[in-house]
Amino acid sequence: KNLSYKKKKFLLTKIELSFYHTLLHIIPDDYIIMCSVRLIDIIEPAKNDFVAKNKIIQKQIDFLVCTKQ
């Protein structure tokens, strides 16, 4: 099967971009803001639980604020 893709014009919606700029102004410099982070990349089930993993595997959060460390 031949799949084709094209680049999205914008990573964030206008509302998300506005909120991102607000975060930039209020978050201290020793923090970083990441956009559209998959939940599975920052948390995992406590045990090798496929049901718990499947509940979060396709979810994402709009913004993640972390220390720069």
Side-chain angles (χ1 to χ4, degrees):
K1 188 174 183 178
N2 187 12
L3 302 175
S4 65
Y5 301 93
K6 66 178 185 173
K7 182 178 104 171
K8 290 178 77 173
K9 192 169 182 177
F10 301 103
L11 177 63
L12 302 174
T13 66
K14 289 179 182 180
I15 294 170
E16 289 169 335
L17 185 59
S18 174
F19 185 64
Y20 175 75
H21 286 291
T22 300
L23 287 174
L24 284 176
H25 291 294
I26 63 172
I27 300 295
D29 289 341
D30 51 339
Y31 288 86
I32 188 169
I33 304 163
M34 293 180 253
C35 304
S36 301
V37 177
R38 294 183 318 159
L39 200 52
I40 195 73
D41 290 332
I42 57 174
I43 64 169
E44 61 186 1
K47 298 178 182 178
N48 195 12
D49 184 345
F50 291 108
V51 174
K53 185 176 181 179
N54 286 337
K55 286 187 176 189
I56 64 169
I57 200 157
Q58 292 188 16
K59 296 186 188 277
Q60 71 176 28
I61 55 174
D62 293 333
F63 300 100
L64 176 66
V65 178
C66 301
T67 59
K68 287 185 178 179
Q69 297 179 5

PDB file of all heavy atoms in Angstrom, residues 22-35:
ATOM      1  N   THR A  22       2.102  32.569  26.757  1.00  0.00           N
ATOM      2  CA  THR A  22       1.799  32.942  28.142  1.00  0.00           C
ATOM      3  C   THR A  22       2.694  32.158  29.103  1.00  0.00           C
ATOM      4  O   THR A  22       3.272  32.734  30.037  1.00  0.00           O
ATOM      5  CB  THR A  22       0.315  32.673  28.472  1.00  0.00           C
ATOM      6  OG1 THR A  22      -0.498  33.447  27.592  1.00  0.00           O
ATOM      7  CG2 THR A  22      -0.007  33.024  29.913  1.00  0.00           C
ATOM      8  N   LEU A  23       2.824  30.860  28.868  1.00  0.00           N
ATOM      9  CA  LEU A  23       3.703  30.039  29.707  1.00  0.00           C
ATOM     10  C   LEU A  23       5.146  30.542  29.659  1.00  0.00           C
ATOM     11  O   LEU A  23       5.830  30.576  30.684  1.00  0.00           O
ATOM     12  CB  LEU A  23       3.658  28.575  29.261  1.00  0.00           C
ATOM     13  CG  LEU A  23       2.402  27.784  29.597  1.00  0.00           C
ATOM     14  CD1 LEU A  23       2.462  26.398  28.956  1.00  0.00           C
ATOM     15  CD2 LEU A  23       2.203  27.673  31.092  1.00  0.00           C
ATOM     16  N   LEU A  24       5.614  30.922  28.483  1.00  0.00           N
ATOM     17  CA  LEU A  24       6.985  31.426  28.352  1.00  0.00           C
ATOM     18  C   LEU A  24       7.236  32.635  29.244  1.00  0.00           C
ATOM     19  O   LEU A  24       8.326  32.805  29.775  1.00  0.00           O
ATOM     20  CB  LEU A  24       7.275  31.815  26.898  1.00  0.00           C
ATOM     21  CG  LEU A  24       7.525  30.683  25.921  1.00  0.00           C
ATOM     22  CD1 LEU A  24       7.709  31.237  24.507  1.00  0.00           C
ATOM     23  CD2 LEU A  24       8.724  29.855  26.320  1.00  0.00           C
ATOM     24  N   HIS A  25       6.209  33.447  29.416  1.00  0.00           N
ATOM     25  CA  HIS A  25       6.354  34.659  30.227  1.00  0.00           C
ATOM     26  C   HIS A  25       6.263  34.392  31.728  1.00  0.00           C
ATOM     27  O   HIS A  25       6.822  35.150  32.523  1.00  0.00           O
ATOM     28  CB  HIS A  25       5.314  35.704  29.825  1.00  0.00           C
ATOM     29  CG  HIS A  25       5.552  36.273  28.476  1.00  0.00           C
ATOM     30  ND1 HIS A  25       6.641  37.056  28.165  1.00  0.00           N
ATOM     31  CD2 HIS A  25       4.844  36.164  27.332  1.00  0.00           C
ATOM     32  CE1 HIS A  25       6.595  37.410  26.907  1.00  0.00           C
ATOM     33  NE2 HIS A  25       5.520  36.875  26.367  1.00  0.00           N
ATOM     34  N   ILE A  26       5.576  33.327  32.127  1.00  0.00           N
ATOM     35  CA  ILE A  26       5.373  33.105  33.560  1.00  0.00           C
ATOM     36  C   ILE A  26       6.253  32.000  34.155  1.00  0.00           C
ATOM     37  O   ILE A  26       6.432  31.946  35.364  1.00  0.00           O
ATOM     38  CB  ILE A  26       3.893  32.824  33.897  1.00  0.00           C
ATOM     39  CG1 ILE A  26       3.404  31.549  33.231  1.00  0.00           C
ATOM     40  CG2 ILE A  26       3.021  34.015  33.517  1.00  0.00           C
ATOM     41  CD1 ILE A  26       2.008  31.120  33.670  1.00  0.00           C
ATOM     42  N   ILE A  27       6.800  31.134  33.308  1.00  0.00           N
ATOM     43  CA  ILE A  27       7.633  30.034  33.788  1.00  0.00           C
ATOM     44  C   ILE A  27       9.073  30.530  33.956  1.00  0.00           C
ATOM     45  O   ILE A  27       9.616  31.153  33.044  1.00  0.00           O
ATOM     46  CB  ILE A  27       7.590  28.841  32.793  1.00  0.00           C
ATOM     47  CG1 ILE A  27       6.165  28.318  32.632  1.00  0.00           C
ATOM     48  CG2 ILE A  27       8.541  27.731  33.222  1.00  0.00           C
ATOM     49  CD1 ILE A  27       5.551  27.715  33.856  1.00  0.00           C
ATOM     50  N   PRO A  28       9.703  30.267  35.100  1.00  0.00           N
ATOM     51  CA  PRO A  28      11.094  30.704  35.306  1.00  0.00           C
ATOM     52  C   PRO A  28      12.042  30.115  34.259  1.00  0.00           C
ATOM     53  O   PRO A  28      11.762  29.077  33.654  1.00  0.00           O
ATOM     54  CB  PRO A  28      11.427  30.166  36.703  1.00  0.00           C
ATOM     55  CG  PRO A  28      10.106  29.947  37.362  1.00  0.00           C
ATOM     56  CD  PRO A  28       9.149  29.595  36.272  1.00  0.00           C
ATOM     57  N   ASP A  29      13.181  30.773  34.065  1.00  0.00           N
ATOM     58  CA  ASP A  29      14.148  30.370  33.036  1.00  0.00           C
ATOM     59  C   ASP A  29      14.781  29.004  33.254  1.00  0.00           C
ATOM     60  O   ASP A  29      15.329  28.429  32.318  1.00  0.00           O
ATOM     61  CB  ASP A  29      15.256  31.420  32.916  1.00  0.00           C
ATOM     62  CG  ASP A  29      14.771  32.700  32.274  1.00  0.00           C
ATOM     63  OD1 ASP A  29      13.721  32.664  31.598  1.00  0.00           O
ATOM     64  OD2 ASP A  29      15.439  33.731  32.442  1.00  0.00           O
ATOM     65  N   ASP A  30      14.724  28.488  34.470  1.00  0.00           N
ATOM     66  CA  ASP A  30      15.331  27.179  34.699  1.00  0.00           C
ATOM     67  C   ASP A  30      14.370  26.022  34.386  1.00  0.00           C
ATOM     68  O   ASP A  30      14.634  24.873  34.723  1.00  0.00           O
ATOM     69  CB  ASP A  30      15.895  27.060  36.117  1.00  0.00           C
ATOM     70  CG  ASP A  30      14.900  27.449  37.200  1.00  0.00           C
ATOM     71  OD1 ASP A  30      13.937  28.175  36.890  1.00  0.00           O
ATOM     72  OD2 ASP A  30      15.098  27.037  38.351  1.00  0.00           O
ATOM     73  N   TYR A  31      13.288  26.330  33.709  1.00  0.00           N
ATOM     74  CA  TYR A  31      12.326  25.320  33.248  1.00  0.00           C
ATOM     75  C   TYR A  31      12.231  25.366  31.730  1.00  0.00           C
ATOM     76  O   TYR A  31      12.541  26.370  31.099  1.00  0.00           O
ATOM     77  CB  TYR A  31      10.934  25.572  33.845  1.00  0.00           C
ATOM     78  CG  TYR A  31      10.867  25.256  35.316  1.00  0.00           C
ATOM     79  CD1 TYR A  31      11.228  26.205  36.263  1.00  0.00           C
ATOM     80  CD2 TYR A  31      10.444  24.010  35.763  1.00  0.00           C
ATOM     81  CE1 TYR A  31      11.173  25.917  37.617  1.00  0.00           C
ATOM     82  CE2 TYR A  31      10.388  23.718  37.117  1.00  0.00           C
ATOM     83  CZ  TYR A  31      10.753  24.672  38.036  1.00  0.00           C
ATOM     84  OH  TYR A  31      10.708  24.382  39.361  1.00  0.00           O
ATOM     85  N   ILE A  32      11.779  24.258  31.156  1.00  0.00           N
ATOM     86  CA  ILE A  32      11.573  24.162  29.722  1.00  0.00           C
ATOM     87  C   ILE A  32      10.136  23.705  29.467  1.00  0.00           C
ATOM     88  O   ILE A  32       9.575  22.950  30.260  1.00  0.00           O
ATOM     89  CB  ILE A  32      12.595  23.194  29.078  1.00  0.00           C
ATOM     90  CG1 ILE A  32      12.502  23.233  27.573  1.00  0.00           C
ATOM     91  CG2 ILE A  32      12.438  21.791  29.607  1.00  0.00           C
ATOM     92  CD1 ILE A  32      13.639  22.532  26.868  1.00  0.00           C
ATOM     93  N   ILE A  33       9.560  24.179  28.394  1.00  0.00           N
ATOM     94  CA  ILE A  33       8.187  23.827  28.026  1.00  0.00           C
ATOM     95  C   ILE A  33       8.246  22.959  26.777  1.00  0.00           C
ATOM     96  O   ILE A  33       8.829  23.344  25.770  1.00  0.00           O
ATOM     97  CB  ILE A  33       7.343  25.081  27.742  1.00  0.00           C
ATOM     98  CG1 ILE A  33       7.365  26.018  28.933  1.00  0.00           C
ATOM     99  CG2 ILE A  33       5.911  24.685  27.380  1.00  0.00           C
ATOM    100  CD1 ILE A  33       6.916  27.424  28.618  1.00  0.00           C
ATOM    101  N   MET A  34       7.650  21.776  26.854  1.00  0.00           N
ATOM    102  CA  MET A  34       7.585  20.877  25.700  1.00  0.00           C
ATOM    103  C   MET A  34       6.133  20.731  25.274  1.00  0.00           C
ATOM    104  O   MET A  34       5.233  20.725  26.109  1.00  0.00           O
ATOM    105  CB  MET A  34       8.183  19.524  26.052  1.00  0.00           C
ATOM    106  CG  MET A  34       9.670  19.591  26.304  1.00  0.00           C
ATOM    107  SD  MET A  34      10.344  17.998  26.703  1.00  0.00           S
ATOM    108  CE  MET A  34      10.627  18.240  28.451  1.00  0.00           C
ATOM    109  N   CYS A  35       5.925  20.631  23.992  1.00  0.00           N
ATOM    110  CA  CYS A  35       4.572  20.567  23.432  1.00  0.00           C
ATOM    111  C   CYS A  35       4.252  19.170  22.905  1.00  0.00           C
ATOM    112  O   CYS A  35       5.126  18.485  22.373  1.00  0.00           O
ATOM    113  CB  CYS A  35       4.432  21.556  22.287  1.00  0.00           C
ATOM    114  SG  CYS A  35       4.822  23.235  22.720  1.00  0.00           S
TER     115      CYS A  35
END
